[in-house]
Amino acid sequence: MIDIRAVQKSFGSLEVLKGIDITVQKGEVLSIIGASGSGKSTLLYCINGLQPIQGGSIHVDGIDVHAKSTNIDALRQKLGMVFQQWNCFPHLTVLENVALAPRVVLRKSKAEAQDLAARQLERVGLASKLNNYPSELSGGQQQRVAIARGLAMQPSYMLFDEVTSALDPELVGEVLDTMRMLAEDGMTMICVTHEIGFARDVSDRVAFFSQGIVEEIGPPEQVINAPEKERTRAFLNKVL
Amino acid sequence: MNALLNTSLTGNDMLFLLKGAAGTLALTAIAVIAGSLIGVVLGVVRAERGWLLDRVLGGLCDVLRSVPLLIQLILFNSFVSLIGFPLSAFASGAIVLSLYMAVNCAELVKAGIASVPRMTRWASRSLGMTYACDLRYIVLPIGLRTVFPSWVGLSLAIMKDSALVSVLGFFELLKSSQTLITRTQEPLLLLLIVGAFYFALSFPIARLAARFERSTLR
């Protein structure tokens, strides 16, 4: 369970998150939608401890992410993360990209790590690209490498940060399909996304962020199909 | 050959030059290896350990980078003699050249590290990789590849700069040729030969580096 309580986050004098309360249960898919600059991505970075918070708390399976005593490297093994810019490691082959962390973090043998990596890459449909370098792949394929790389650590949660925003339109589908497959497999996911259709079809709940607060949260039938708040309606009118 | 070129150079003289070339190569190898190792450590500290250390070390590096090598060599050699630890010309030269290589290399390493996008580092950290793992497997491999061509240029420059160690009396390639010039009075021919020697040392390194770059740097 990811428990987010009254989280506040500022960059200097700019308050990005103004008290966020969300609880994500095991097996749940939560999509976060909202305008650019509403703090969606920042929240993901805070969940992963990549950004410090100024107030409130975030607990992952009961462990306080931002406590000084927390071993953040160990905690991050539970939290797979995929970024908007896919960030494949350019000096490693696709297989090595995925096998690296299992080898150096989970201390698996090279053969074991590569075996695990190959299975994850097959899962995202890249079995034929194991020995290619990221630069030889399309954006959509690189993004799927990044997903496989996260999955290879066998995390309990996956955090997706606008993973289709930087892709050419024709490549968006393959990445969303991969995420759909994960959701069907029961992965707990938090997806920051601009893909309203995906949020509606795949999520158990949708949260609409506006100016650093959760304006509206609930099942997609409510938040997307019949929003109660004026701001949510205005946003959806703009993007749909 | 003597008749053909009308020169008084002998086969023994060429051996003498070869020995000088070996001295040049030895100095260069030590300076490049030791200097690069120290340079990587210095560069990492400067890039990663806060602005204060960066400023302090940067100041020291600037001094070593700004003072001409010739002066550094003479000052260092005199200094160690004055404090009672006289070193051979070769040892003095190797130390000064290594430090010179190190501070220049540190600058490259620092730039290489800065060239790795923050998000790439976040990606590795988000996988649970520790700071040290991130540095070892992601940041340094990517960053050092980026500055590799500059590093090759720096190494070749150090080889040529090693000629300056002759002022301390070490018989490297240039000093050897000067001894021969004094005897034969054929400076143009000898300098041509020495130039060819330097080229023969540098060119294969440059070619190998270019091949390495093509095959592994993407």
Side-chain angles (χ1 to χ4, degrees):
Chain A
M1 188 174 88
I2 298 179
D3 196 19
I4 301 161
R5 284 276 158 261
V7 164
Q8 286 173 304
K9 165 79 194 166
S10 311
F11 293 106
S13 60
L14 179 70
E15 205 179 2
V16 184
L17 300 175
K18 303 171 183 166
I20 303 288
D21 289 283
I22 299 175
T23 304
V24 180
Q25 300 292 344
K26 205 91 213 203
E28 188 179 11
V29 176
L30 172 75
S31 288
I32 302 178
I33 60 173
S36 300
S38 59
K40 314 180 296 289
S41 298
T42 305
L43 180 66
L44 288 193
Y45 301 151
C46 293
I47 294 174
N48 213 325
L50 290 167
Q51 291 271 10
I53 57 176
Q54 275 75 45
S57 68
I58 300 173
H59 287 80
V60 174
D61 292 344
I63 301 167
D64 186 347
V65 176
H66 297 274
K68 281 250 172 350
S69 57
T70 299
N71 179 348
I72 191 68
D73 296 316
L75 187 61
R76 283 183 183 138
Q77 293 172 28
K78 291 178 176 224
L79 295 159
M81 179 138 188
V82 186
F83 297 84
Q84 179 175 359
Q85 292 294 342
W86 31 90
N87 294 313
C88 288
F89 306 134
H91 60 305
L92 301 176
T93 64
V94 166
L95 186 66
E96 290 164 341
N97 255 277
V98 182
L100 178 65
R103 195 156 58 78
V104 303
V105 179
L106 301 179
R107 305 254 162 230
K108 291 185 186 296
S109 71
K110 191 173 180 187
E112 217 179 334
Q114 293 198 339
D115 188 51
L116 173 66
R119 266 185 286 133
Q120 296 303 338
L121 283 162
E122 191 178 4
R123 199 168 163 199
V124 300
L126 290 173
S128 62
K129 301 285 183 191
L130 301 188
N131 296 315
N132 288 81
Y133 280 87
S135 57
E136 299 162 340
L137 268 52
S138 73
Q141 289 170 330
Q142 291 191 50
Q143 193 57 291
R144 285 186 281 148
V145 172
I147 294 174
R149 188 172 65 182
L151 291 175
M153 292 299 288
Q154 293 162 317
S156 312
Y157 308 91
M158 286 293 282
L159 311 176
F160 293 94
D161 177 25
E162 300 188 26
V163 293
T164 56
S165 299
L167 295 177
D168 292 336
E170 76 269 21
L171 301 176
V172 168
E174 60 186 76
V175 173
L176 291 184
D177 286 345
T178 305
M179 291 167 69
R180 256 190 205 101
M181 174 194 78
L182 283 180
E184 280 162 16
D185 288 353
M187 176 61 79
T188 312
M189 296 163 47
I190 302 181
C191 313
V192 168
T193 185
H194 291 298
E195 299 290 332
I196 304 298
F198 171 83
R200 177 169 45 206
D201 299 345
V202 178
S203 320
D204 299 302
R205 281 192 303 160
V206 176
F208 171 64
F209 271 43
S210 175
Q211 297 169 2
I213 60 165
V214 181
E215 184 79 20
E216 191 164 354
I217 185 166
E221 300 79 39
Q222 175 207 322
V223 177
I224 293 175
N225 295 351
E228 289 166 357
K229 299 285 180 67
E230 184 50 44
R231 282 215 178 105
T232 318
R233 272 198 292 273
F235 172 75
L236 288 170
N237 277 339
K238 242 185 271 170
V239 297
L240 283 180
Chain B
M1 179 174 144
N2 284 3
L4 193 69
L5 286 170
N6 192 21
T7 172
S8 55
L9 275 181
T10 64
N12 264 342
D13 292 340
M14 295 308 280
L15 271 181
F16 185 64
L17 281 181
L18 264 180
K19 260 180 80 180
T24 291
L25 209 57
L27 266 179
T28 308
I30 291 175
V32 166
I33 292 170
S36 299
L37 290 176
I38 303 170
V40 168
V41 175
L42 263 181
V44 168
V45 171
R46 289 192 61 189
E48 298 280 299
R49 288 285 151 207
W51 64 271
L52 186 64
L53 261 177
D54 180 33
R55 286 284 172 78
V56 172
L57 290 173
L60 289 173
C61 291
D62 281 342
V63 171
L64 287 181
R65 289 187 336 135
S66 313
V67 176
L69 255 179
L70 192 63
I71 298 176
Q72 290 187 39
L73 283 163
I74 296 170
L75 283 181
F76 180 79
N77 194 242
S78 312
F79 177 73
V80 289
S81 297
L82 278 175
I83 61 167
F85 293 100
L87 290 173
S88 70
F90 179 81
S92 288
I95 291 173
V96 171
L97 279 176
S98 298
L99 282 178
Y100 188 74
M101 175 79 192
V103 294
N104 284 288
C105 186
E107 212 69 33
L108 293 180
V109 171
K110 191 185 161 197
I113 290 175
S115 77
V116 180
R118 185 177 67 154
M119 282 298 181
T120 305
R121 304 189 66 169
W122 275 15
S124 70
R125 296 304 302 276
S126 78
L127 290 165
M129 286 169 66
T130 59
Y131 172 78
C133 267
D134 173 47
L135 206 57
R136 157 130 167 50
Y137 294 104
I138 306 300
V139 176
L140 283 179
I142 297 176
L144 294 188
R145 270 159 220 242
T146 308
V147 295
F148 177 76
S150 309
W151 177 84
V152 173
L154 181 60
S155 300
L156 293 178
I158 286 284
M159 174 186 292
K160 284 163 266 179
D161 287 344
S162 71
L164 293 169
V165 183
S166 60
V167 297
L168 303 181
F170 177 66
F171 274 85
E172 43 65 67
L173 188 48
L174 190 66
K175 176 87 173 170
S176 309
S177 72
Q178 272 157 0
T179 307
L180 293 180
I181 290 171
T182 310
R183 198 198 75 218
T184 62
Q185 295 298 312
E186 295 174 45
L188 292 182
L189 175 65
L190 269 157
L191 288 176
L192 267 176
I193 295 174
V194 169
F197 263 96
Y198 275 113
F199 181 78
L201 292 176
S202 305
F203 187 70
I205 296 177
R207 296 311 306 161
L208 270 177
R211 181 183 293 183
F212 176 72
E213 226 182 297
R214 267 198 308 277
S215 67
T216 61
L217 311 185
R218 288 156 189 276

